[in-house]
Structure formats: structure tokens, C-alpha cells
Amino acid sequence: MATSVKAQTAPAKGNVVAIVAMFFLFAMISFVTNLAAPLGTIWRNNYEWSGMLGNMMNFLAYLFMGIPAGNLLVKIGYKKTALYAMIVGLIGLIFQWLSGVVGASTGVFEVSGQMVTLNFLIYLLGAFICGFCVCMLNTVVNPMLNLLGGGGNTGNQLVQSGGTFNSLAGTLTPLFVGMLIGQVTATTSMGDVAPLLFIAMGVFVVAFIIISAVAIPEPHMKKDTGVKVKAAHSPWNFRHTVLGVIGIFLYVGIEIGIPGMLIFYLSDSAASGITENAAAVAGGVAAIYWLLMLVGRLISSVISGKVSSRLQMIVVSATAIFLVCLAIFFPADIRVSMPAYSAADGFTMAQVPAKALFLVLCGLCTSVMWGGIFNLAVEGLGKYTAQASGIFMMMVVGGGVMPLIQNAIANSAGYMASYWLVVAMLAYLLYYGCVGCKNVNKDIPVDEDAPDMRDL
């Protein structure tokens, strides 16, 4: 056992360049993902219902690419998978650029009762392809950082540090996009943001060159002995991994659902009591949630070397349940001042229901959940880690599914009532941190050289 630990911890000391490269890829993930929403504002000029459709296509790609991406890690390794992801991302951006080149009158099609133009369909295809890219990158960076950190607390520490760069890129990308696009008007089209897409393409080319020049360890790659042996086990044979897969699905739904429903609530003047610039106030308040996620990940990256992933999961899950319950029960007429932004007044303080403050503070809790769940779910998997990573990526589709369910509840029972779904999902994560994360399948061989055959 001691030998195994040394083998894991050694890479963290000698591969600083590889760690930096993974941090860069983590930022790239957020960069690509956060292009979808601002580009969606352009298409809303033509299709009012389409604002988040590009974002949904991005998430939907995880469902199709998660397991294939994990299989790629097993067959060709981390580095080649990352390089292929860069190529896929470049292709996706080219398609989005082409949607601005193809004229709106080129073709009109009926899709689910809606009349849409060819250039819009090309844009959605580009967003879907970019989703493949992001899924592949996610599949690479999470297990790679866990490996470079030697697993355990230090592995989680590196994952949380990478998450900090992810949150930083997620915060800066919309600001950068806003500066390039400027004011969106009825005449704004994808052709007007071509410089932005060219910059994004250039980022992918630079990333491809950087990753090509970096030596990345591939300890899970098997040497070809000419003998083909079918593995008798898989990540699905580990209870704590299966429960972690469910946890990832629910977590992404929580992360997206909390601020998403908060925006709808604050934008509804009748519900929130905000009578002026309700939509602008809602966006500004929700942005604080994402900023607190950055702060939370930064704090976790500092303490994760000493505080276990399990303890962090228990504390943040319980705290988030408390905060969401406060938001549900707190009187709507009790108000607090929170930062907001409007085009006319710039940054200002707005009076919002105190409920919003409790929900925004959940960002500190959700910030560490992804790294914590992943770290706990792959602990002790050994050679099955890469395959498990692909399964986890497939479950990111929960970020599209669970918010839709929450929205349906809100439409029938009210905004705050919909947060009971969030409480239920958080309760599952609390169970996972307390009980479900324990590896009860330690009898399964996970070392590269260990036989992997069932007893006859």
C-alpha cells in the first residue's frame, strides 16, 4: 500500500507544468460554456423562446459524449483527448461563425411547430459541437488533477484550485463578450460578433500548441502485450461511484437551478416587489452567486490539504439546506440592499427580498461540491478512474434536466415552492457525504498489474 501512495504523490512534485496546463484547460471549459448565453441574446431578436437554447444544446452534448470521452482516455490518454477536444471546439466555433455568414433568408424550416431559419440551425449545431469539446476537456482535467495531486485531500485541493480558474473565466468571459458586442439591438446579428468568434478560435489554436508541447503523465495507459483481456469489472461495480454519479447529476441541477430560478423570481415584479429595472437587478444579484462560487473554490483550494473532501461535503450540504429553507420561509417583505447593475445607472444598491441574500450565499456551498463529489467517487478506483470520469461527464446533463423540473414546479406552485426540489437534492448530497461515499468494494482489484477476472 505504501508503494501505491508514493506512486500517486510523485507526479504532483515533478509536473508543475502539467498542473498549470490543466488549470488552463479548466479555464477553457468555462470560456467555451459562457459564450453560449451572451450569443443567445442575439438570437432572441428573432426567436424570443431561443435565448437559452444554445446553452441547452451545450449541456445536451454531455449526455452523448460523456462515456465516449471516458473511453478515449483509456485508449489514447489524457493529452491526445485534450488535443482532439481543441479540434472539436474549433469546428464548433466555425459553425457558429458560419451562422452569421449564411443569410437568414437562405432557408426556412418547421421544427416542433416553430419556423426557424437555416442559419439558426447552424448556430445550434455549432453550440452542440462545442458541448462535445467542453465534455472532453472536463473528462481530462478532473481525473488528471486528482492524479497529479496524489488523490485524497491533496487531489481534491488541485481540483478545487482548477475550479477557481474555471470560476474566474466564468466571471470574466461575459464581461469580455459584453465589451466586444456592445449594445444588442434589433439589428445585431452573428455577423456582428465575428471578431469575438475569431478570438475564440485563436484561443483554441494557442491552447492546442501549448498542450502539444507539455508532457502529461499517462499512468493508466496499458502497454500492448498482444493479449486482449476483457475486464470483469467497471466503475459501475463500485457502490460509492454509482452513488457519486447520481450526486453529480443532482449537483449540476442545484448549481444551475438556484441562480436560474432566483433570476425569474426577482424579474417578476409582482412576486419580488421590485418595480424598477427588475431584470437588471435580478442579473446583478445572480452574478454575486457566481462570484461567491469563485471565493468558495479559492478557500477550498487553500484548506483542502488539511480538511477532507468528506467533511467539506457534509458541512456545505447541511449549510445549503439551512440557507434554502430560510429563503423559503422568510417573509418576502423583509428586504436588504444588494449590489445591482443597470445600463442607465451603472453599479448601484437595490432593495431586494432577504430571500435573495440567502440563495446567493449558497454559492459558497455549491462551489466545492463538484470537486468534493468527484474526489470521493473516484477514491480507490485505480485503473477505472478514467472510465468513471466519462460517466460523470455524461451526468452533467442534470444541469439541463433538473432546472426544467424546478421550473415546472414554479409554474404550478410558485417560485419558492420550487426550491423544495433543491432541498431534496441537497439532502441526497448530505447523505452521500455522510454514508454513500464510503468504498464498500475494496475487494475489487484496481492496480494496473492486478488480475481482473471473476472467480469461477
Side-chain angles (χ1 to χ4, degrees):
M1 184 63 69
T3 303
S4 176
V5 172
K6 289 180 180 178
Q8 281 187 312
T9 56
K13 298 178 181 179
N15 290 281
V16 175
V17 176
I19 293 174
V20 172
M22 291 302 108
F23 285 176
F24 183 76
L25 290 183
F26 233 139
M28 286 288 296
I29 291 169
S30 187
F31 175 77
V32 175
T33 301
N34 283 280
L35 281 176
L39 293 182
T41 61
I42 297 175
W43 290 105
R44 287 190 64 187
N45 291 329
N46 299 319
Y47 312 102
E48 186 176 350
W49 44 268
S50 70
M52 291 300 291
L53 195 55
N55 187 70
M56 180 59 189
M57 294 296 290
N58 201 282
F59 273 107
L60 186 63
Y62 281 88
L63 182 63
F64 295 93
M65 193 61 195
I67 291 179
N71 291 335
L72 278 176
L73 287 189
V74 175
K75 294 180 179 179
I76 65 176
Y78 293 103
K79 182 172 180 176
K80 288 184 178 179
T81 301
L83 293 176
Y84 286 160
M86 301 297 173
I87 297 174
V88 171
L90 183 61
I91 293 173
L93 289 173
I94 290 175
F95 268 92
Q96 293 190 58
W97 168 71
L98 285 175
S99 70
V101 175
V102 176
S105 60
T106 302
V108 180
F109 303 88
E110 182 177 352
V111 180
S112 300
Q114 297 285 344
M115 302 304 294
V116 297
T117 56
L118 176 61
N119 62 339
F120 181 60
L121 295 178
I122 293 175
Y123 160 72
L124 292 180
L125 177 60
F128 189 60
I129 295 174
C130 281
F132 284 138
C133 160
V134 176
C135 179
M136 294 167 70
L137 290 179
N138 253 316
T139 309
V140 169
V141 298
N142 287 279
M144 191 72 249
L145 285 175
N146 190 59
L147 171 70
L148 292 171
N153 292 349
T154 54
N156 183 46
Q157 188 174 29
L158 277 186
V159 174
Q160 297 296 355
S161 297
T164 301
F165 283 86
N166 181 274
S167 296
L168 180 61
T171 303
L172 295 178
T173 299
L175 296 177
F176 181 60
V177 173
M179 287 187 295
L180 289 175
I181 294 180
Q183 183 69 29
V184 177
T185 66
T187 59
T188 304
S189 68
M190 288 294 290
D192 297 321
V193 296
L196 166 67
L197 297 176
F198 290 143
I199 291 174
M201 293 177 200
V203 171
F204 272 113
V205 172
V206 172
F208 185 92
I209 295 173
I210 292 175
I211 299 302
S212 298
V214 172
I216 296 178
E218 309 278 3
H220 70 289
M221 294 291 289
K222 299 177 181 179
K223 296 180 179 179
D224 189 3
T225 60
V227 180
K228 303 297 181 181
V229 179
K230 184 177 181 180
H233 298 94
S234 74
W236 295 110
N237 296 116
F238 295 82
R239 191 196 73 166
H240 73 294
T241 301
V242 174
L243 295 178
V245 167
I246 299 173
I248 286 290
F249 179 87
L250 296 179
Y251 158 70
V252 185
I254 294 169
E255 179 191 298
I256 302 299
I258 289 178
M261 191 54 59
L262 177 60
I263 290 177
F264 292 156
Y265 168 65
L266 294 179
S267 299
D268 188 339
S269 298
S272 66
I274 301 174
T275 57
E276 296 183 7
N277 299 320
V281 170
V285 171
I288 302 174
Y289 171 90
W290 298 105
L291 182 61
L292 289 180
M293 284 194 68
L294 186 154
V295 174
R297 284 172 170 169
L298 183 61
I299 294 173
S300 180
S301 67
V302 174
I303 68 173
S304 289
K306 297 181 179 179
V307 181
S308 69
S309 303
R310 181 169 179 260
L311 179 58
Q312 290 187 53
M313 279 297 301
I314 293 174
V315 171
V316 298
S317 298
T319 302
I321 290 174
F322 175 71
L323 289 171
V324 175
C325 286
L326 272 180
I328 293 173
F329 289 112
F330 219 71
D333 57 352
I334 298 180
R335 312 179 81 78
V336 296
S337 294
M338 294 188 67
Y341 179 83
S342 68
D345 304 324
F347 288 99
T348 183
M349 300 298 291
Q351 290 292 312
V352 301
K355 294 172 177 287
L357 175 61
F358 300 133
L359 293 173
V360 163
L361 289 175
C362 288
L364 289 170
C365 301
T366 57
S367 63
V368 303
M369 289 179 178
W370 172 275
I373 297 171
F374 185 89
N375 183 256
L376 292 171
V378 302
E379 191 69 25
L381 284 192
K383 59 186 177 183
Y384 301 109
T385 300
Q387 186 180 358
S389 181
I391 298 173
F392 288 127
M393 292 310 107
M394 183 179 69
M395 289 297 101
V396 173
V397 73
V401 175
M402 300 312 294
L404 287 179
I405 297 176
Q406 185 180 357
N407 187 67
I409 297 173
N411 290 337
S412 60
Y415 296 111
M416 289 299 114
S418 74
Y419 279 99
W420 283 117
L421 176 63
V422 175
V423 171
M425 293 188 287
L426 288 169
Y428 176 86
L429 297 186
L430 179 59
Y431 156 77
Y432 184 71
C434 292
V435 179
C437 66
K438 296 179 180 179
N439 184 1
V440 297
N441 304 106
K442 296 182 179 180
D443 57 320
I444 299 178
V446 297
D447 294 334
E448 295 296 335
D449 298 328
D452 188 21
M453 297 177 290
R454 299 187 187 278
D455 295 331
L456 299 178

